[in-house]
């Protein structure tokens, strides 16, 4: 201890150019202070290392947060773009739905007018032809069309295609009504029973009979009663659209008939449906 002290005194003398002698107590204090500074330095170095480690960790966390934020922003942009696209699609669908609803309303209104006109026409025909209903004439509505069905006995002698006077009277009354309804088209359909035609001269079979009876009615309506021929179509159905297929005499009598099918013109509806 004394030797260390002597050396310290010598060092102090050499560095300060002063040879003031330090007491042992002062020396001990210096040593204690040196050790304390060394300990504090060690502690500070540990704290510095910890701070450096924490700083590096925080930098890594900050980098991760920035990366996550970038991903979130990218996802947000994509989500926003998708939301805008969906909103645009929804707007287009809503506009298209409104257009379709408007067109549907127009179609419904036209069909309502058609049904009203059909019912009114049926009422007019029933009143005009009331006197013939006991002779096998009926008026009814099927599928939006008015059907005037005339039994063959009301129009023709058996096996004939020449309209008799009672038949002409019924057709005359029908023409009075339809001539006042220019927006009505008509189809004259001839129907027979399933018995084969025999010995009728130029009439070879039920096809011939049904067609020729239909054209006889059509000619009478156009040439005698002045119905516009552009409104008329004549067709023969032969035996293949029976009212009653039971095969009895009564059923066959029902099946032998002329049906005049009256249809309101649907130009307005057709134009509406075909218009884009």
């Amino acid at each position: 201890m004394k030797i260390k002290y002597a050396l310290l005194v010598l060092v102090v003398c050499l560095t300060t150019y002063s040879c003031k002698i330090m007491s042992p107590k002062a020396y001990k204090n210096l040593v204690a202070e040196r050790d304390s500074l060394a300990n504090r330095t060690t502690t500070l170095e540990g704290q510095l290392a910890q701070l450096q480690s924490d700083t590096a960790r925080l930098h890594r966390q900050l980098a991760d947060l920035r990366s996550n934020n970038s991903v979130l922003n990218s996802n947000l942009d994509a989500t926003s773009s998708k939301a805008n696209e969906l909103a645009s699609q929804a707007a287009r669908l809503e506009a298209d739905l409104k257009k379709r609803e408007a067109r549907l309303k127009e179609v419904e209104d036209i069909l309502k007018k058609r049904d009203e006109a059909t019912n009114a026409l049926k009422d007019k025909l029933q009143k005009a032809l009331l006197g013939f209903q006991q002779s096998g004439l009926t008026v009814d509505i099927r599928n939006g069309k008015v059907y005037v069905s005339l039994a063959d006995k009301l129009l023709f002698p058996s096996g004939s295609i020449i309209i008799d006077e009672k038949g002409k009277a019924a057709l005359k009354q029908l023409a009075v009504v339809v001539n006042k309804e220019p927006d009505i088209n008509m189809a004259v359909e001839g129907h027979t029973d399933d018995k084969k035609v025999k010995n009728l001269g130029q009439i070879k079979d039920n096809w011939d009979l049904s067609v020729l009876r239909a054209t006889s009615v059509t000619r009478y309506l156009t040439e005698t009663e002045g119905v516009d021929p552009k409104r008329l179509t004549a067709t023969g159905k032969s035996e293949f659209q029976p009212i009653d297929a039971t095969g009895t005499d009564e059923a066959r009598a029902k099946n032998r008939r002329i049906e005049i099918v009256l249809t309101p013109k649907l130009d307005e509806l057709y134009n509406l449906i075909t218009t884009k």
Side-chain angles (χ1 to χ4, degrees):
M1 180 68 179
K2 290 181 179 181
I3 292 173
K4 288 183 178 181
Y5 173 72
L7 289 172
L8 180 60
V9 170
L10 179 60
V11 169
V12 171
C13 288
L14 291 173
T15 57
T16 61
Y17 301 100
S18 173
C19 292
K20 185 177 179 180
I21 302 300
M22 182 183 295
S23 67
K25 184 176 180 181
Y27 170 75
K28 288 179 67 177
N29 289 337
L30 283 174
V31 171
E33 186 176 354
R34 182 203 64 189
D35 293 341
S36 176
L37 287 172
N39 290 335
R40 290 174 62 189
T41 298
T42 301
T43 300
L44 289 173
E45 288 175 347
Q47 291 177 349
L48 176 61
Q50 183 62 45
L51 287 172
Q52 289 174 335
S53 175
D54 290 345
T55 300
R57 177 175 54 80
L58 290 173
H59 276 297
R60 290 192 300 272
Q61 290 179 349
L62 178 60
D64 290 341
L65 287 174
R66 284 175 175 168
S67 177
N68 290 337
N69 185 60
S70 177
V71 171
L72 288 174
N73 285 334
S74 177
N75 290 339
L76 180 61
D77 290 341
T79 301
S80 178
S81 176
K82 187 65 175 178
N84 291 335
E85 181 182 351
L86 291 174
S88 178
Q89 289 179 357
R92 289 195 299 270
L93 287 173
E94 184 177 4
D96 184 59
L97 178 60
K98 288 181 178 179
K99 288 181 181 179
R100 290 176 181 272
E101 288 176 343
R103 286 172 64 83
L104 177 61
K105 180 66 167 58
E106 289 181 82
V107 172
E108 288 175 343
D109 289 344
I110 293 171
L111 290 176
K112 182 179 179 182
K113 291 178 183 177
R114 182 207 66 179
D115 291 341
E116 290 173 352
T118 301
N119 286 317
L121 177 62
K122 175 192 172 187
D123 292 341
K124 290 177 183 178
L125 289 168
Q126 282 182 324
K127 291 177 181 177
L129 301 170
L130 183 62
F132 301 95
Q133 292 182 17
Q134 296 299 321
S135 301
L137 183 147
T138 61
V139 182
D140 64 314
I141 293 176
R142 287 176 252 159
N143 302 318
K145 302 174 184 179
V146 178
Y147 283 74
V148 179
S149 182
L150 302 99
D152 71 330
K153 65 181 181 180
L154 176 59
L155 294 172
F156 305 101
S158 178
S160 174
I161 61 172
I162 307 299
I163 303 171
D164 61 22
E165 293 304 316
K166 191 172 184 180
K168 290 178 181 179
L171 293 176
K172 183 178 183 65
Q173 291 300 316
L174 183 144
V176 169
V177 175
V178 298
N179 280 333
K180 295 177 182 178
E181 303 288 341
D183 291 329
I184 301 295
N185 287 325
M186 290 169 284
V188 180
E189 298 178 353
H191 298 265
T192 68
D193 59 25
D194 58 355
K195 284 189 174 182
K196 302 302 179 182
V197 170
K198 295 180 181 179
N199 301 320
L200 291 180
Q202 67 183 39
I203 301 172
K204 297 178 181 179
D205 54 22
N206 283 327
W207 281 114
D208 276 352
L209 182 60
S210 65
V211 171
L212 291 171
R213 281 183 168 180
T215 54
S216 291
V217 171
T218 301
R219 281 196 191 92
Y220 180 81
L221 290 173
T222 56
E223 295 174 2
T224 304
E225 301 301 335
V227 178
D228 185 354
K230 294 179 182 178
R231 299 169 57 190
L232 280 162
T233 303
T235 59
K237 304 290 186 177
S238 188
E239 64 198 66
F240 300 107
Q241 291 187 11
I243 294 174
D244 189 336
T246 58
T248 64
D249 290 341
E250 183 180 356
R252 289 189 176 96
K254 291 179 182 178
N255 295 334
R256 296 190 302 270
R257 67 199 188 278
I258 289 288
E259 286 192 336
I260 301 176
V261 185
L262 299 100
T263 308
K265 291 182 180 179
L266 299 178
D267 294 344
E268 185 180 3
L269 179 60
Y270 177 78
N271 291 335
L272 177 64
I273 292 173
T274 57
T275 300
K276 294 182 180 180

